[in-house]
Amino acid sequence: MLSGATRSTPFMTAAHAALMFPTLNCAQIARITSRGVIRPITRGDVLIEGGQTDVPFFVVKAGEIEVIRPSGLGDLLVAVVHADQFTGDVSMILGRPAQMRLRVSESGEVVQLTRDQMHALIQTDAEIGAVLMKALIYRRIELVAQGIGDVLLIGSAHSAATLRIKAFLTRNDHPFKYLDLDRDADVRDLLDRFRVEPAELPVVICRGETVLKNPGNQAIAECLGFNDRIDRAHQRDVVIVGAGPAGLAAAVYAASEGLDALVLEASSPGGQAGSSSRIENYLGFPTGISGQELAGRAYAQAQKFGADVMIAKSAAELTCEREAHVVRLDDGATIPARTVIIATGARYRKPSLANLSQFEGVGVYYNATFMEEAQLSDSDEVIVVGGANSAGQAAIFLARTGRPVHVLVRSSSLSESMSRYLLRRIEESSTIQVRTRTEIVALEGNGRLERVQWRDGTGAVSSHDIRHVFMMTGAEANTGWLNRHVALDAKGFIKTGPDLTPQDLAAAQWRLERSPYLLETSRPGVFAVGDVRSGNIKRVASAVGEGSIAISFVHRVLAD
């Protein structure tokens, strides 16, 4: 037994064992065996090492395999895989390096499949695919909940960079352990061990070896091998820029219909919707679903069908040629594509406050999830700025502990832009106060936000000792990278289909006899879907619909 490992594992509770480690029946094992090879295993054999790429998949026919998280801080026994059970987690579907070591604890034999064979099995055998996907997803959920993975994050609750890294790892469903400089007793010993000064925090330690000091998201993605297996030089049938609901829907439909699809995502899957604490008006989820959970399911679904997704890679330029398009990334790499779908969404408009950036992440937030809420105490008074559904969801989420919530809107009411079910909850809440015709005019504080000044409908300015503001004000399109290479409306959103004027098409040198398709831009074979599109209805359902519809037009362009 390795140091720190015990037979009592964090996973093997009775409630979770059946979900994460189901037992395959004889017929299922026979079908899997027909796709792979049978090999003996001997006690002490290491079948997979942490950080290994091209990770194989094993079904245990006889014997026993331990799943161990290797770490410089002490190895941890995570789970034990018994006869008629199987190994693996979501990293295998994503084609990422292994996070765990697999070591044989009892001799026997296994069925071994390559990653590609296992992926093909999931796609072609509906029954086994459902069993495997469900188990792999539950395993990842538990790893994230337990903080068991190949990443250690050391930082401070008072650091905007720490919050950014936590958000990046969380929204990418990558498990990590977090230690706070101000709360955890062993932090300073760890800093000494890895030769890190407190001033260099936050620090990310990958696989107990690589130390990244205050890293950007791209550096973290590179260290964890998020994009290692993706071929950038290969021309794709469709490149989808943005992994919000519209982009993920396009990826699911493209890959499931046999198209070679690549998704480029600047940060994390889910887009603006991914930061919603709860979406209750999305079809099929009567009790609601969090934006992150919805994005995670869609992401796994796209990967299941074979779509590639590049994380922390931003599109910097689009060029269009007669036979192909090229998307240039912010690191200079270029991705060739036969068609392109722009799904870069929109971002909250920032108010004109001189020192706003000073307090971002340390008092001013643009999301309202459990992660941001962890910065607050249950009694902290908060402000939500905005009058649309996202602001309403945030207000209800933040008020559920009984804390006072002020909703500030510049208009005369909320009813113009918010769904009725959210309005009713806000009206019935005793802790939410709506302040109409009111806006923030100043932010004050030393290092962190300490107080806010707002101006009400009478013109009077008042000061309030409120240390947390959630900004959800309007939307502006993420189209700056296009440099007006496609036609935009007056607000910077992309014009498509019938909204394109003859002048727009002439300026773009539209060369085809046909008119642009419904979601096609002024460039043939380039489409826009979701919030980035002019005239889009700002709802998750409409974004998903547009993403799926766009693929039907992609097929037409490819056929031409």
Side-chain angles (χ1 to χ4, degrees):
M1 196 69 62
L2 296 178
S3 174
T6 69
R7 300 299 292 181
S8 175
T9 67
F11 273 0
M12 300 308 289
T13 62
H16 293 162
L19 293 174
M20 293 185 291
F21 295 95
T23 299
L24 298 170
N25 60 42
C26 294
Q28 291 168 337
I29 293 175
R31 297 207 300 276
I32 296 173
T33 303
S34 69
R35 294 172 177 261
V37 297
I38 299 176
R39 56 167 285 192
I41 55 174
T42 304
R43 179 181 172 86
D45 287 349
V46 175
L47 304 180
I48 296 173
E49 188 54 87
Q52 178 179 331
T53 57
D54 296 322
V55 180
F57 170 78
F58 298 103
V59 174
V60 180
K61 297 196 73 174
E64 186 179 271
I65 298 174
E66 294 176 332
V67 181
I68 297 167
R69 184 207 62 192
S71 170
L73 305 178
D75 295 324
L76 172 71
L77 179 64
V78 176
V80 179
V81 184
H82 300 282
D84 302 332
Q85 296 177 342
F86 53 89
T87 65
D89 86 325
V90 170
S91 292
M92 184 175 293
I93 301 294
L94 304 180
R96 295 177 183 172
Q99 296 188 41
M100 304 295 169
R101 174 188 299 138
L102 296 189
R103 190 186 64 180
V104 178
S105 53
E106 182 181 313
S107 299
E109 66 177 14
V110 297
V111 181
Q112 178 175 328
L113 276 67
T114 65
R115 184 260 177 190
D116 289 341
Q117 288 172 327
M118 180 262 205
H119 204 180
L121 173 69
I122 287 176
Q123 292 177 348
T124 58
D125 191 313
E127 180 193 8
I128 294 176
V131 173
L132 267 55
M133 285 299 297
K134 184 176 180 180
L136 300 186
I137 290 171
Y138 273 112
R139 290 176 190 179
R140 176 51 62 93
I141 289 172
E142 192 67 14
L143 284 171
V144 170
Q146 297 278 353
I148 299 172
D150 55 358
V151 173
L152 174 64
L153 169 61
I154 304 174
S156 168
H158 306 298
S159 161
T162 299
L163 181 61
R164 171 184 56 79
I165 295 171
K166 288 172 70 176
F168 178 73
L169 292 169
T170 299
R171 292 188 62 181
N172 278 287
D173 282 330
H174 196 92
F176 67 97
K177 182 175 179 61
Y178 172 64
L179 296 177
D180 193 292
L181 176 67
D182 306 313
R183 301 176 184 175
D184 295 300
D186 298 331
V187 167
R188 295 192 181 274
D189 290 339
L190 281 174
L191 295 181
D192 291 340
R193 179 173 180 175
F194 288 102
R195 299 178 182 178
V196 176
E197 297 295 328
E200 296 175 304
L201 295 181
V203 64
V204 172
I205 302 171
C206 301
R207 302 189 187 94
E209 301 172 351
T210 306
V211 178
L212 305 176
K213 298 175 181 178
N214 192 15
N217 293 347
Q218 286 192 6
I220 299 171
E222 182 177 346
C223 185
L224 297 176
F226 278 9
N227 306 314
D228 285 356
R229 61 172 293 274
I230 297 176
D231 184 357
R232 301 186 182 193
H234 173 58
Q235 185 185 52
R236 307 286 178 150
D237 291 329
V238 57
V239 168
I240 302 161
V241 186
L248 289 173
V252 168
Y253 278 85
S256 67
E257 294 173 13
L259 297 181
D260 186 353
L262 171 65
V263 183
L264 306 175
E265 170 51 47
S267 179
S268 310
Q272 199 175 74
S275 64
S276 296
S277 55
R278 182 149 296 272
I279 303 168
E280 293 190 60
N281 60 350
Y282 187 64
L283 184 68
F285 295 92
T287 60
I289 185 171
S290 73
Q292 183 178 333
E293 186 180 2
L294 182 64
R297 292 185 182 190
Y299 184 39
Q301 197 172 11
Q303 298 278 354
K304 166 189 170 181
F305 287 119
D308 285 332
V309 182
M310 292 185 73
I311 298 296
K313 293 295 181 182
S314 299
E317 184 181 22
L318 172 66
T319 59
C320 299
E321 301 173 359
R322 182 170 295 274
E323 299 297 332
H325 310 285
V326 175
V327 179
R328 183 175 63 83
L329 304 182
D330 52 4
D331 62 2
T334 56
I335 309 292
R338 298 175 67 192
T339 63
V340 175
I341 295 177
I342 302 169
T344 45
R347 56 181 175 267
Y348 292 121
R349 188 179 299 113
K350 296 182 180 182
S352 300
L353 297 171
N355 56 352
L356 176 64
S357 61
Q358 175 185 339
F359 299 114
E360 290 177 332
V362 284
V364 174
Y365 315 98
Y366 299 98
N367 301 314
T369 67
F370 290 101
M371 207 159 15
E372 287 77 24
E373 193 191 32
Q375 310 288 99
L376 289 64
S377 71
D378 287 347
S379 60
D380 276 346
E381 202 169 352
V382 303
I383 294 172
V384 175
V385 181
N389 278 3
S390 55
Q393 291 163 349
I396 292 165
F397 172 71
L398 294 166
R400 75 192 195 290
T401 63
R403 65 168 60 90
V405 176
H406 303 272
V407 178
L408 273 55
V409 289
R410 290 190 296 179
S411 60
S412 58
S413 72
L414 292 176
S415 59
E416 299 175 5
S417 54
M418 190 176 292
S419 295
R420 181 58 187 162
Y421 80 95
L422 292 172
L423 283 171
R424 291 183 63 183
R425 290 187 187 176
I426 289 174
E427 291 167 354
E428 293 172 3
S429 172
S430 60
T431 58
I432 300 176
Q433 183 172 3
V434 179
R435 299 179 180 275
T436 58
R437 301 189 183 280
T438 302
E439 60 182 324
I440 293 176
V441 294
L443 304 171
E444 301 173 358
N446 182 17
R448 291 183 58 83
L449 182 65
E450 296 173 3
R451 70 191 61 84
V452 172
Q453 292 184 27
W454 70 53
R455 181 170 53 232
D456 62 24
T458 68
V461 175
S462 54
S463 181
H464 306 268
D465 293 330
I466 298 177
R467 300 182 297 118
H468 303 282
V469 176
F470 294 81
M471 297 283 190
M472 296 176 181
T473 51
E476 54 187 20
N478 284 324
T479 53
W481 64 281
L482 291 167
N483 294 320
R484 304 193 73 87
H485 194 69
V486 298
L488 308 177
D489 68 12
K491 295 182 179 180
F493 292 85
I494 300 174
K495 298 173 74 172
T496 60
D499 290 337
L500 291 163
T501 66
Q503 292 77 17
D504 293 327
L505 299 181
Q509 298 181 338
W510 182 269
R511 64 183 183 275
L512 303 180
E513 292 184 6
R514 67 168 176 84
S515 299
Y517 293 126
L518 179 65
L519 300 173
E520 197 168 19
T521 70
S522 56
R523 299 286 180 174
V526 178
F527 301 87
V529 296
D531 288 357
V532 75
R533 190 180 68 82
S534 178
N536 169 265
I537 299 171
K538 302 298 186 283
R539 294 289 187 269
V540 174
S542 65
V544 170
E546 290 184 12
S548 58
I549 292 169
I551 299 305
S552 66
F553 297 121
V554 166
H555 282 296
R556 294 189 195 181
V557 171
L558 295 178
D560 293 341

